Amino acid sequence: MCGIIGYIGKKQVAPILIAGLRRLEYRGYDSAGICVLENNNLETIKKRGHIAELEQELNSREVLGTIGIAHTRWATHGEPNETNAHPHYDCTGNISIIHNGIIENFQSLKKLLESEGHKFVSETDSEVLAHLIEKFYSSDIESAVIKALKQVEGTFGLAVLCKNEEKIIVARRGSPLIIGVGEDEVFVASDASAILEYTKKVIYLKDNELAILSRDNYEIKNLDGVVSDFEIQEIKWSLDEIEKVGFKHFMLKEIFEQPRSIENTLRGRINGGKIKLSLNFNPKSINRIIITACGTSWHSALIGKYLIEKIAKIPVEVDYASEFRYRDPIIRSDDLFVVISQSGETADTLAALRQATVCETLGIVNVVGSTISREVKSGIYLHAGPEIGVASTKAFTCQVTAIILLALYIRQELGMDIDQRLVEEFIAIPEKIKIILDKSEKIKELSYNFTDAKNFLYLGRGVNFPVALEGALKLKEISYIHAEGYPAAEMKHGPIALIDENMFVVFIVNKGEIFEKVVSNMQEVKARGGKIICITDCPEEEMIKKLSSFIITVPETHEELSPLINVIPLQLMSYFVADAKGINVDKPRNLAKSVTVE
Ligand code: F6R
């Protein structure tokens, strides 16, 4: 969602804020703004559009000062324009705020404040915070913020400046905020990438905490003003990991990083054919697994259902987190509740997790220190490194890797043998992905055939059905081509009506038990004029050659591991189609990297 950065120290703040916003831009990019405090004066500059617009404006004027806050927006209330962009002022212009999250009772608060004479200029829910703080302000900004937040329902990651006080007040409920600790300087940011070039020492603010940042000090309190304990942690990511290092887009870089990121997920977790995970529950006491997630992470969850049931023989239920939280779900004490989330901050996934109070919980999360990672009882970190491209790629393959590890671990702990050929193949996956990546130029050429396409179907069976869903999601979110994923056999129950010579149909076909069945589905498509793109490990098969208009060959592997291989050409194809259409794939329209609102 939106991104926040703030700085207080001795350096000129405007370049720090702009650099931070650039790194946060992937979180939201419809408008941006900064506010700088200098000599009891607040100066605000806001622009609609990408950070580059704001930067251009700043190049044309001098904004001096060593304290400031900045925000990049992903609109929830009010269209993207300069007025609705953050920071927002109170009526006096003495208080400036930036906010992530949603103020749920903003309508009633706004009505009340208007009846007391406050004048609102934007359509946002956030502006209410500036006026509410103004209402309680006499001479101490900290206590005004505390009083204001007591009136607020909803979520916030908030940073506040007051022109009379050389400090930044920040507070969090539901929207992530971290404090970066430097030498005679303190930062606040919605995620670590914004401040990584200045400091690796961070404090993860907890829900209902407030921090008072001054040039050489910081204090953490709860929302009643009582001082809280905190821990300074070290960020493990390097600067290189958040740069494009020669790639045109982060998404392409992250696709190419997958051999390494999967190795990182595996590192230290397979030893002498045994699976090593330090989890705080005994698999023998688990009778059912429930997995909840959203979007791409939900596709990983669905792969988890196929694989955990097959490998570990425990029943698995998979739910969209957004549905789970509102449907009186039955959770038992002998369930294992698994949440999968790259960011560890997705609002619906977090809310679903918070319902699982009676059972063991496990998070499969990438961002270290994120809210989900702190609230689960056990966790498997992906160690995929930061994922900046809005369309998830390396997080997906690392999630699937973590799920396979989990399935094998449970099987092992339940006393069943582990197929060592599967383990060997598992370790070989990064090398096999490299073989596909080496063919990316060919996939690029092939992708140019699809830039004018209007519709795609993606079909796969078994553990590759979720891969079909993921392929379709990747294509639609970055190329804006309509695409749907289905289990191949399900096509006959409806989607077949759509097939004509303008329909491209991607089939995922591997050798194995259901090969013939999928080939029959291909024949049904071909008979209706559909154009088949075949992702396969058996391109030499006569029927594959006969039925396909395009073939992408992938290395053979164990069926259980095949999603890790089959998804790679689908990611590349989506990327090349979108790039050829001139779309900025790292910032697809209307999307945000981390969905911290419902
Ligand atoms: C799609 C994509 C999203 C996320 C979803 C969940 O490419 O990235 O669908 O997978 O928003 O996000 P996390 O995994 O952070 O909970």
Side-chain angles (χ1 to χ4, degrees):
M1 296 274 98
C2 314
I4 282 181
I5 165 127
Y7 172 85
I8 178 162
K10 292 182 175 154
K11 298 180 190 139
Q12 281 304 314
V13 71
I16 295 174
L17 296 181
I18 288 292
L21 285 181
R22 279 204 165 281
R23 296 207 190 281
L24 291 172
E25 201 174 11
Y26 72 100
R27 296 179 66 100
Y29 34 77
D30 61 43
S31 51
I34 71 168
C35 180
V36 173
L37 169 61
E38 176 77 348
N39 297 330
N40 296 86
N41 181 46
L42 291 173
E43 184 170 2
T44 292
I45 301 160
K46 309 202 259 189
K47 273 289 179 195
R48 191 202 155 126
H50 290 174
I51 307 299
E53 319 277 328
L54 181 68
E55 196 171 5
Q56 217 175 350
E57 179 72 23
L58 276 163
N59 287 340
S60 65
R61 56 207 266 192
E62 210 174 30
V63 181
L64 296 175
T66 52
I67 307 173
I69 55 177
H71 186 268
T72 174
R73 179 168 186 248
W74 184 85
T76 54
H77 294 69
E79 65 171 275
N81 59 28
E82 253 168 55
T83 313
N84 289 333
H86 299 217
H88 293 289
Y89 277 124
D90 69 328
C91 298
T92 61
N94 292 343
I95 294 164
S96 171
I97 67 109
I98 53 178
H99 166 236
N100 286 355
I102 291 184
I103 305 303
E104 281 161 12
N105 59 340
F106 92 97
Q107 306 264 24
S108 56
L109 286 172
K110 187 170 176 178
K111 232 182 185 169
L112 175 81
L113 288 160
E114 278 176 335
S115 73
E116 291 171 2
H118 291 263
K119 297 267 176 293
F120 283 74
V121 294
S122 77
E123 302 155 272
T124 65
D125 55 330
S126 306
E127 191 186 347
V128 91
L129 292 169
H131 295 279
L132 207 53
I133 295 168
E134 175 192 1
K135 172 179 159 120
F136 293 110
Y137 183 72
S138 52
S139 60
D140 175 17
I141 189 67
E142 178 189 329
S143 65
V145 172
I146 290 177
K147 283 181 193 145
L149 291 181
K150 289 208 166 29
Q151 314 289 313
V152 164
E153 285 162 25
T155 55
F156 48 81
L158 173 71
V160 183
L161 288 179
C162 172
K163 76 176 193 182
N164 308 323
E165 301 184 41
E166 290 208 332
K167 50 176 85 152
I168 307 175
I169 309 291
V170 304
R172 131 166 211 172
R173 183 191 296 153
S175 279
L177 275 187
I178 58 171
I179 311 298
V181 182
E183 290 285 314
D184 295 332
E185 57 187 8
V186 187
F187 301 80
V188 59
S190 43
D191 79 58
S193 58
I195 56 171
L196 198 56
E197 67 183 285
Y198 311 105
T199 181
K200 289 193 164 189
K201 288 193 191 138
V202 298
I203 300 160
Y204 295 96
L205 215 59
K206 298 188 204 82
D207 268 350
N208 298 310
E209 274 186 347
L210 171 111
I212 304 104
L213 316 182
S214 49
R215 284 187 208 281
D216 50 7
N217 198 12
Y218 49 88
E219 248 188 309
I220 316 259
K221 299 184 175 177
N222 66 20
L223 287 185
D224 291 321
V226 179
V227 174
S228 314
D229 291 340
F230 61 85
E231 193 190 339
I232 298 185
Q233 299 190 29
E234 180 99 8
I235 304 171
K236 297 281 186 292
W237 295 345
S238 71
L239 204 53
D240 258 11
E241 288 180 282
I242 56 166
E243 305 276 4
K244 280 188 251 179
V245 288
F247 285 91
K248 185 170 178 192
H249 292 104
F250 281 111
M251 180 180 176
L252 190 62
K253 176 189 170 226
E254 288 157 8
I255 291 174
F256 273 81
E257 271 173 2
Q258 290 175 106
R260 187 160 52 101
S261 51
I262 291 174
E263 272 165 13
N264 287 340
T265 307
L266 288 173
R267 182 157 297 119
R269 289 169 170 163
I270 303 183
N271 203 339
K274 291 241 173 272
I275 311 300
K276 301 217 153 157
L277 294 175
S278 29
L279 305 178
N280 298 325
F281 60 88
N282 178 359
K284 290 190 179 128
S285 60
I286 302 298
N287 275 320
R288 177 179 67 155
I289 296 176
I290 302 171
I291 317 180
T292 66
C294 301
T296 286
S297 299
W298 184 81
H299 298 154
S300 305
L302 204 52
I303 291 174
K305 175 174 173 66
Y306 282 89
L307 294 185
I308 296 171
E309 289 188 345
K310 184 161 188 185
I311 297 172
K313 312 286 178 209
I314 294 188
V316 179
E317 284 178 20
V318 174
D319 244 304
Y320 285 113
S322 53
E323 287 299 308
F324 184 85
R325 59 183 295 196
Y326 288 116
R327 69 157 177 85
D328 285 339
I330 296 163
I331 308 175
R332 303 188 194 107
S333 57
D334 56 358
D335 287 335
L336 171 65
F337 193 86
V338 180
V339 283
I340 305 180
S341 174
Q342 187 285 128
S343 60
E345 301 292 351
T346 300
D348 284 323
T349 311
L350 182 59
L353 170 66
R354 286 178 176 161
Q355 294 198 9
T357 49
V358 297
C359 65
E360 292 295 339
T361 58
L362 167 71
I364 297 180
V365 173
N366 191 33
V367 178
V368 175
S370 55
T371 311
I372 290 177
S373 75
R374 283 187 277 120
E375 295 197 12
V376 285
K377 294 181 189 159
S378 296
I380 305 176
Y381 274 126
L382 302 181
H383 302 305
E387 190 178 67
I388 311 259
V390 167
S392 185
T393 52
K394 64 175 179 173
F396 174 75
T397 44
C398 290
Q399 286 165 350
V400 174
T401 303
I403 286 161
I404 300 170
L405 282 169
L406 177 66
L408 291 171
Y409 171 80
I410 295 176
R411 183 179 171 89
Q412 165 187 291
E413 297 305 298
L414 294 181
M416 290 181 266
D417 284 345
I418 292 184
D419 177 355
Q420 288 305 316
R421 280 169 314 170
L422 173 68
V423 173
E424 275 162 34
E425 269 297 316
F426 197 12
I427 296 166
I429 287 291
E431 284 308 314
K432 293 197 171 176
I433 292 178
K434 280 186 199 158
I435 297 172
I436 308 172
L437 295 174
D438 285 344
K439 286 195 293 205
S440 69
E441 280 301 312
K442 274 200 181 149
I443 298 175
K444 183 176 180 174
E445 272 168 41
L446 181 145
S447 303
Y448 293 155
N449 291 292
F450 314 130
T451 46
D452 293 327
K454 298 278 177 282
N455 291 295
F456 262 77
L457 269 183
Y458 283 70
L459 302 176
R461 290 195 77 157
V463 74
N464 282 299
F465 155 53
V467 178
L469 293 177
E470 176 60 8
L473 179 66
K474 277 310 74 108
L475 187 74
K476 64 187 148 195
E477 67 184 335
I478 58 168
S479 74
Y480 315 147
I481 295 172
H482 175 244
E484 298 299 332
Y486 276 93
E490 196 57 26
M491 180 188 68
K492 287 197 285 296
H493 301 282
I496 198 164
L498 296 169
I499 293 172
D500 62 15
E501 59 288 354
N502 297 317
M503 175 67 90
F504 287 103
V505 185
V506 177
F507 273 94
I508 303 165
V509 198
N510 290 134
K511 273 188 199 140
E513 270 174 51
I514 46 177
F515 174 79
E516 300 296 339
K517 310 263 178 224
V518 183
V519 169
S520 306
N521 299 140
M522 289 172 75
Q523 276 175 327
E524 288 151 10
V525 169
K526 182 79 175 173
R528 286 157 184 84
K531 295 197 187 68
I532 293 177
I533 302 147
C534 191
I535 312 292
T536 185
D537 58 1
C538 45
E540 70 292 345
E541 287 285 340
E542 221 30 64
M543 289 312 283
I544 298 277
K545 286 196 256 185
K546 197 169 148 205
L547 298 171
S548 311
S549 303
F550 306 94
I551 297 177
I552 302 178
T553 308
V554 293
E556 267 182 61
T557 188
H558 221 283
E559 191 194 340
E560 280 88 324
L561 307 170
S562 61
L564 292 169
I565 297 286
N566 290 330
V567 77
I568 308 292
L570 302 183
Q571 295 170 341
L572 284 167
M573 216 176 83
S574 304
Y575 172 79
F576 289 127
V577 172
D579 188 44
K581 289 180 81 175
I583 293 167
N584 182 348
V585 293
D586 282 338
K587 300 187 185 93
R589 69 183 178 209
N590 305 336
L591 294 179
K593 181 69 186 159
S594 165
V595 184
T596 50
V597 293
E598 265 191 61

